[in-house]
């Protein structure tokens, strides 16, 4: 009886570990989608209103508060708070950027995209900022497709693999 319970627990553990991996992949897709949405909103604000970065952040937090993932909301909020203390956008973005690095395990290419946006946005004319947003949106779409393809391909695989590995360990221990 105890062996049966142990085997069941090992199978559940394998399944849960694989579920955690799939959830991390899902969170990456969500963060990239939200960042893309933020860039589209930013691009529109610059294009039609020539809105400065600090106002864009405030308006974005107010307008899209109900649609936010908690992590992304905190990231944008932290950046906005840093700007309210008198810091320029690149500096406040870099400080807030440390927040997202700790929370998400993105590859260096995606982290470089976040850094590039922070370093260049708000420092040049409106045309360059719009082009920067377009460039980063295209890059995010590329990585988002990769993550979505990986998620669709592997989400069921990892759950099945976790359960099978748990069962294998259980059989070996019995």
């Amino acid at each position: 009886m105890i062996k049966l319970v142990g085997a069941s627990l090992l199978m559940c553990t394998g399944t849960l570990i694989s579920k955690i991996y799939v959830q991390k992949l899902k969170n990456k897709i969500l963060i990239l989608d939200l960042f893309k949405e933020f860039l589209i909103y930013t691009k529109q604000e610059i294009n039609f209103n020539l809105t400065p970065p600090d106002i864009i952040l405030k308006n974005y937090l107010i307008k899209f508060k109900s649609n936010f993932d908690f992590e992304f909301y905190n990231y944008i909020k932290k950046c906005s708070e840093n700007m309210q203390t008198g810091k320029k956008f690149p500096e406040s973005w870099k400080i807030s950027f440390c927040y997202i690095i700790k929370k998400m395990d993105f590859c260096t290419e995606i982290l470089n995209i976040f850094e590039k946006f922070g370093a260049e946005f708000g420092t040049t004319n409106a045309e360059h900022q719009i082009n920067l947003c377009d460039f980063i949106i295209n890059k995010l779409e590329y990585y988002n497709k990769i993550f979505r393809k990986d998620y669709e391909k592997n989400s069921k695989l990892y759950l099945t693999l976790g359960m099978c590995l748990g069962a294998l360990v259980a059989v070996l221990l019995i």
Side-chain angles (χ1 to χ4, degrees):
M1 182 65 173
I2 294 174
K3 289 182 179 182
L4 183 62
V5 172
S8 298
L9 286 175
L10 287 172
M11 287 175 52
C12 290
T13 303
T15 305
L16 287 175
I17 289 171
S18 60
K19 186 105 173 138
I20 289 169
Y21 176 77
V22 170
Q23 187 62 41
K24 282 184 179 180
L25 203 54
K26 202 173 185 180
N27 287 343
K28 287 180 182 182
I29 292 169
L30 179 65
I31 292 288
L32 291 182
D33 282 341
L34 290 171
F35 189 51
K36 180 180 158 190
E37 178 185 290
F38 169 72
L39 289 173
I40 290 169
Y41 176 78
T42 300
K43 185 177 129 181
Q44 290 172 345
E45 285 293 311
I46 293 169
N47 200 17
F48 298 117
N49 303 326
L50 293 174
T51 310
D54 58 333
I55 305 298
I56 290 173
L57 290 174
K58 284 182 194 174
N59 291 345
Y60 187 74
L61 287 171
I62 293 167
K63 187 171 185 178
F64 293 101
K65 186 173 186 175
S66 62
N67 297 342
F68 273 123
D69 172 65
F70 184 70
E71 298 296 330
F72 191 76
Y73 177 79
N74 282 339
Y75 178 57
I76 298 295
K77 185 178 178 185
K78 190 170 186 124
C79 187
S80 178
E81 288 169 354
N82 287 333
M83 287 194 74
Q84 289 174 2
T85 63
K87 295 178 178 136
K88 299 282 185 195
F89 183 81
E91 184 182 355
S92 64
W93 186 265
K94 190 172 186 176
I95 293 168
S96 303
F97 183 68
C98 294
Y99 180 79
I100 204 165
I101 288 176
K102 293 175 186 173
K103 297 291 180 183
M104 299 298 294
D105 58 341
F106 283 118
C107 61
T108 55
E109 292 87 8
I110 295 175
L111 295 176
N112 289 338
I113 291 171
F114 278 96
E115 285 178 351
K116 180 177 176 68
F117 176 75
E120 295 182 20
F121 187 74
T123 59
T124 57
N125 63 9
E127 184 178 336
H128 181 326
Q129 291 180 43
I130 291 169
N131 291 338
L132 176 67
C133 288
D134 284 334
F135 173 76
I136 293 176
I137 287 169
N138 290 334
K139 287 279 193 183
L140 290 177
E141 286 174 351
Y142 169 75
Y143 285 109
N144 208 341
K145 283 180 188 176
I146 291 172
F147 286 143
R148 284 184 191 279
K149 188 183 272 186
D150 192 30
Y151 177 77
E152 289 170 9
K153 183 175 84 175
N154 295 330
S155 62
K156 292 179 185 175
L157 172 72
Y158 285 118
L159 291 175
T160 306
L161 187 63
M163 193 164 43
C164 289
L165 284 175
L168 178 68
V169 170
V171 168
L172 290 175
L173 291 177
I174 291 179

